[in-house]
Amino acid sequence: MPPEPLIKQETRILYPSEYRAIRSHLSFKDQLRLDGLLFTGMRGVEFERFIESPEWYKPSRRAIDLPKGSMLKRRAKQAERTVLLSNAGVQAVETLLSYRRQSPDDLRPISRQAWTETLTRAASKAQGEGRLDSLEGIAPKMSRKTWASWLIATHSHREGSISLSLGHDIRTMLRHYAGLGWPADARQEIRQYTAGWGDE
Protein backbone atom coordinates (compact mmCIF):
# COMPACT_ATOMS: atom_id res chain seq x y z
CA MET A 1 0.00 0.00 0.00
CA PRO A 2 1.48 3.38 -0.96
CA PRO A 3 1.37 6.09 1.73
CA GLU A 4 -1.42 8.63 1.79
CA PRO A 5 -0.21 11.78 -0.05
CA LEU A 6 1.35 14.49 2.10
CA ILE A 7 0.35 17.86 0.60
CA LYS A 8 1.46 21.32 1.73
CA GLN A 9 0.39 24.46 -0.17
CA GLU A 10 -0.94 22.24 -2.98
CA THR A 11 2.51 20.66 -3.44
CA ARG A 12 3.48 17.08 -2.65
CA ILE A 13 6.01 16.37 0.09
CA LEU A 14 7.50 13.06 -1.02
CA TYR A 15 8.03 9.99 1.13
CA PRO A 16 11.33 8.31 0.24
CA SER A 17 9.36 5.46 -1.36
CA GLU A 18 7.47 7.96 -3.57
CA TYR A 19 10.73 9.63 -4.62
CA ARG A 20 12.16 6.26 -5.66
CA ALA A 21 8.94 5.27 -7.45
CA ILE A 22 8.90 8.45 -9.55
CA ARG A 23 12.66 8.32 -10.17
CA SER A 24 12.45 4.76 -11.50
CA HIS A 25 10.37 6.00 -14.45
CA LEU A 26 12.69 8.86 -15.46
CA SER A 27 15.44 8.78 -18.07
CA PHE A 28 18.98 8.81 -16.71
CA LYS A 29 19.45 12.54 -17.37
CA ASP A 30 16.11 13.30 -15.69
CA GLN A 31 17.12 11.16 -12.72
CA LEU A 32 20.22 13.35 -12.44
CA ARG A 33 18.06 16.47 -12.58
CA LEU A 34 15.63 15.17 -9.93
CA ASP A 35 18.46 14.07 -7.62
CA GLY A 36 20.23 17.41 -8.05
CA LEU A 37 17.10 19.43 -7.36
CA LEU A 38 16.09 17.29 -4.39
CA PHE A 39 19.41 16.94 -2.60
CA THR A 40 20.43 20.59 -3.03
CA GLY A 41 16.99 22.01 -2.25
CA MET A 42 17.62 24.68 -4.89
CA ARG A 43 14.94 26.61 -6.74
CA GLY A 44 14.66 25.60 -10.38
CA VAL A 45 16.33 28.72 -11.76
CA GLU A 46 19.20 28.44 -9.27
CA PHE A 47 19.75 24.83 -10.28
CA GLU A 48 19.80 25.65 -14.01
CA ARG A 49 22.37 28.38 -13.39
CA PHE A 50 24.46 26.03 -11.27
CA ILE A 51 24.59 23.48 -14.12
CA GLU A 52 26.08 26.26 -16.28
CA SER A 53 28.52 27.26 -13.50
CA PRO A 54 29.94 24.04 -12.02
CA GLU A 55 32.76 26.00 -10.37
CA TRP A 56 30.23 27.02 -7.72
CA TYR A 57 30.58 23.51 -6.28
CA LYS A 58 33.26 23.36 -3.57
CA PRO A 59 34.07 19.66 -2.99
CA SER A 60 36.45 20.27 -0.09
CA ARG A 61 33.60 21.99 1.80
CA ARG A 62 30.79 19.73 0.51
CA ALA A 63 28.89 22.85 -0.47
CA ILE A 64 27.72 25.02 -3.37
CA ASP A 65 28.27 28.77 -3.19
CA LEU A 66 25.45 30.60 -4.97
CA PRO A 67 26.72 34.10 -5.82
CA LYS A 68 24.77 37.33 -6.06
CA GLY A 69 22.34 37.28 -8.97
CA SER A 70 22.00 33.49 -9.12
CA MET A 71 18.55 33.48 -7.56
CA LEU A 72 16.57 35.95 -9.65
CA LYS A 73 13.97 36.08 -6.91
CA ARG A 74 12.93 39.56 -5.90
CA ARG A 75 11.89 38.54 -2.40
CA ALA A 76 14.87 36.28 -1.71
CA LYS A 77 16.04 36.73 1.87
CA GLN A 78 19.74 36.42 0.97
CA ALA A 79 21.57 37.94 -2.01
CA GLU A 80 23.99 35.01 -1.92
CA ARG A 81 24.13 31.80 0.06
CA THR A 82 25.93 28.54 0.66
CA VAL A 83 24.03 25.32 -0.03
CA LEU A 84 25.19 22.55 2.32
CA LEU A 85 25.17 18.96 1.04
CA SER A 86 24.52 15.55 2.58
CA ASN A 87 26.40 12.44 1.48
CA ALA A 88 23.62 11.81 -1.04
CA GLY A 89 23.88 15.43 -2.19
CA VAL A 90 27.62 15.19 -2.80
CA GLN A 91 27.10 12.02 -4.82
CA ALA A 92 24.22 13.57 -6.81
CA VAL A 93 26.16 16.75 -7.61
CA GLU A 94 29.36 14.95 -8.58
CA THR A 95 27.48 12.49 -10.82
CA LEU A 96 25.58 15.37 -12.42
CA LEU A 97 28.72 17.42 -13.10
CA SER A 98 30.59 14.39 -14.44
CA TYR A 99 27.73 13.69 -16.86
CA ARG A 100 27.62 17.35 -17.88
CA ARG A 101 31.31 17.27 -18.82
CA GLN A 102 30.71 14.24 -21.05
CA SER A 103 27.33 15.27 -22.53
CA PRO A 104 26.84 19.04 -22.04
CA ASP A 105 23.93 19.26 -24.50
CA ASP A 106 21.86 16.69 -22.57
CA LEU A 107 21.43 19.02 -19.59
CA ARG A 108 20.13 22.10 -21.35
CA PRO A 109 17.74 24.28 -19.33
CA ILE A 110 14.22 22.86 -19.16
CA SER A 111 11.03 24.88 -18.78
CA ARG A 112 8.87 24.51 -15.70
CA GLN A 113 6.04 23.20 -17.89
CA ALA A 114 8.25 20.55 -19.52
CA TRP A 115 9.60 19.43 -16.12
CA THR A 116 6.05 19.26 -14.71
CA GLU A 117 5.01 17.05 -17.63
CA THR A 118 8.07 14.80 -17.18
CA LEU A 119 7.39 14.36 -13.45
CA THR A 120 3.67 13.78 -13.98
CA ARG A 121 4.34 11.15 -16.64
CA ALA A 122 6.73 9.29 -14.34
CA ALA A 123 4.35 9.60 -11.38
CA SER A 124 1.47 8.29 -13.51
CA LYS A 125 3.47 5.17 -14.38
CA ALA A 126 4.35 4.68 -10.70
CA GLN A 127 0.66 5.07 -9.81
CA GLY A 128 -0.22 2.44 -12.43
CA GLU A 129 2.11 0.03 -10.61
CA GLY A 130 0.40 0.79 -7.28
CA ARG A 131 3.49 2.60 -5.90
CA LEU A 132 1.81 6.03 -5.72
CA ASP A 133 -1.61 6.77 -4.22
CA SER A 134 -2.47 9.67 -6.58
CA LEU A 135 -0.98 12.42 -8.74
CA GLU A 136 -2.09 15.15 -6.36
CA GLY A 137 0.57 17.80 -5.74
CA ILE A 138 3.09 16.52 -8.30
CA ALA A 139 4.95 19.69 -9.28
CA PRO A 140 8.50 21.05 -9.75
CA LYS A 141 8.44 22.69 -6.29
CA MET A 142 8.03 19.34 -4.56
CA SER A 143 11.76 18.56 -4.60
CA ARG A 144 12.65 21.73 -2.66
CA LYS A 145 9.74 21.34 -0.24
CA THR A 146 10.55 17.67 0.28
CA TRP A 147 14.19 18.43 1.09
CA ALA A 148 13.23 21.15 3.57
CA SER A 149 10.85 18.72 5.28
CA TRP A 150 13.42 15.91 5.35
CA LEU A 151 16.12 18.14 6.85
CA ILE A 152 13.79 19.44 9.56
CA ALA A 153 12.70 15.87 10.36
CA THR A 154 16.32 14.76 10.94
CA HIS A 155 18.26 17.94 11.81
CA SER A 156 15.72 20.00 13.75
CA HIS A 157 18.45 21.16 16.15
CA ARG A 158 20.08 22.98 13.18
CA GLU A 159 17.06 24.93 11.97
CA GLY A 160 19.12 28.12 11.51
CA SER A 161 21.60 26.35 9.22
CA ILE A 162 18.75 24.73 7.30
CA SER A 163 17.02 28.05 6.66
CA LEU A 164 20.28 29.66 5.53
CA SER A 165 21.14 26.76 3.22
CA LEU A 166 17.68 26.84 1.63
CA GLY A 167 17.40 30.63 1.54
CA HIS A 168 14.20 30.47 3.59
CA ASP A 169 12.92 32.73 6.33
CA ILE A 170 13.17 30.52 9.42
CA ARG A 171 9.65 31.23 10.71
CA THR A 172 8.07 30.53 7.32
CA MET A 173 10.12 27.35 6.98
CA LEU A 174 9.07 26.00 10.37
CA ARG A 175 5.42 26.92 9.78
CA HIS A 176 5.32 24.98 6.52
CA TYR A 177 7.64 22.03 7.11
CA ALA A 178 7.99 21.24 10.84
CA GLY A 179 5.91 18.65 12.68
CA LEU A 180 4.68 16.65 9.69
CA GLY A 181 4.53 13.47 11.76
CA TRP A 182 6.62 11.10 9.66
CA PRO A 183 6.12 7.40 10.45
CA ALA A 184 9.15 5.75 12.06
CA ASP A 185 10.05 3.72 8.97
CA ALA A 186 9.90 6.78 6.69
CA ARG A 187 11.98 8.80 9.16
CA GLN A 188 14.61 6.05 9.16
CA GLU A 189 14.77 6.14 5.36
CA ILE A 190 14.94 9.94 5.35
CA ARG A 191 17.96 9.77 7.67
CA GLN A 192 19.83 7.75 5.02
CA TYR A 193 19.37 10.59 2.52
CA THR A 194 20.18 13.44 4.91
CA ALA A 195 23.19 11.71 6.53
CA GLY A 196 26.31 13.86 6.53
CA TRP A 197 24.38 17.05 5.76
CA GLY A 198 26.56 20.04 6.56
CA ASP A 199 29.33 17.52 7.28
CA GLU A 200 27.98 16.96 10.77
Side-chain angles (χ1 to χ4, degrees):
M1 261 307 265
E4 186 179 335
L6 182 51
I7 311 291
K8 283 281 186 179
Q9 300 170 292
E10 300 178 7
T11 303
R12 188 90 157 229
I13 308 290
L14 295 173
Y15 283 80
S17 59
E18 292 178 321
Y19 151 68
R20 291 191 298 270
I22 291 169
R23 188 183 188 278
S24 71
H25 290 290
L26 293 173
S27 67
F28 180 66
K29 69 175 182 179
D30 287 333
Q31 288 179 353
L32 293 179
R33 190 179 296 276
L34 176 62
D35 290 351
L37 283 163
L38 176 63
F39 296 124
T40 64
M42 287 187 197
R43 299 175 179 95
V45 68
E46 295 168 344
F47 183 73
E48 298 296 350
R49 288 184 156 212
F50 167 59
I51 291 175
E52 297 304 314
S53 306
E55 69 277 7
W56 294 352
Y57 173 51
K58 310 300 179 188
S60 64
R61 291 172 36 231
R62 297 165 49 92
I64 298 167
D65 287 334
L66 295 180
K68 251 182 194 172
S70 60
M71 285 168 252
L72 291 181
K73 186 177 179 186
R74 284 190 305 246
R75 294 181 300 151
K77 302 295 178 194
Q78 302 154 254
E80 54 190 19
R81 76 176 194 274
T82 295
V83 174
L84 303 178
L85 299 173
S86 66
N87 299 337
V90 168
Q91 184 177 351
V93 165
E94 292 186 351
T95 305
L96 175 86
L97 295 182
S98 173
Y99 183 79
R100 181 193 175 276
R101 283 193 294 274
Q102 297 165 26
S103 309
D105 290 343
D106 277 2
L107 288 172
R108 286 190 186 135
I110 185 172
S111 72
R112 178 181 286 266
Q113 181 180 348
W115 186 232
T116 301
E117 289 168 2
T118 297
L119 292 171
T120 303
R121 241 187 337 267
S124 183
K125 289 177 183 175
Q127 185 186 22
E129 295 173 341
R131 296 170 69 192
L132 223 65
D133 183 271
S134 75
L135 300 183
E136 186 182 359
I138 300 294
K141 282 184 178 180
M142 70 183 179
S143 53
R144 180 169 161 80
K145 290 179 181 291
T146 295
W147 190 239
S149 301
W150 287 8
L151 285 178
I152 290 170
T154 57
H155 291 73
S156 59
H157 60 292
R158 300 187 66 194
E159 58 193 30
S161 296
I162 296 170
S163 69
L164 288 171
S165 182
L166 289 167
H168 258 314
D169 171 82
I170 193 166
R171 284 169 299 184
T172 304
M173 182 185 74
L174 292 174
R175 188 166 67 244
H176 292 316
Y177 307 120
L180 295 181
W182 295 101
D185 57 341
R187 188 181 291 268
Q188 191 57 42
E189 285 190 282
I190 289 168
R191 278 197 189 94
Q192 294 170 22
Y193 291 116
T194 62
W197 181 80
D199 202 20
E200 189 178 72

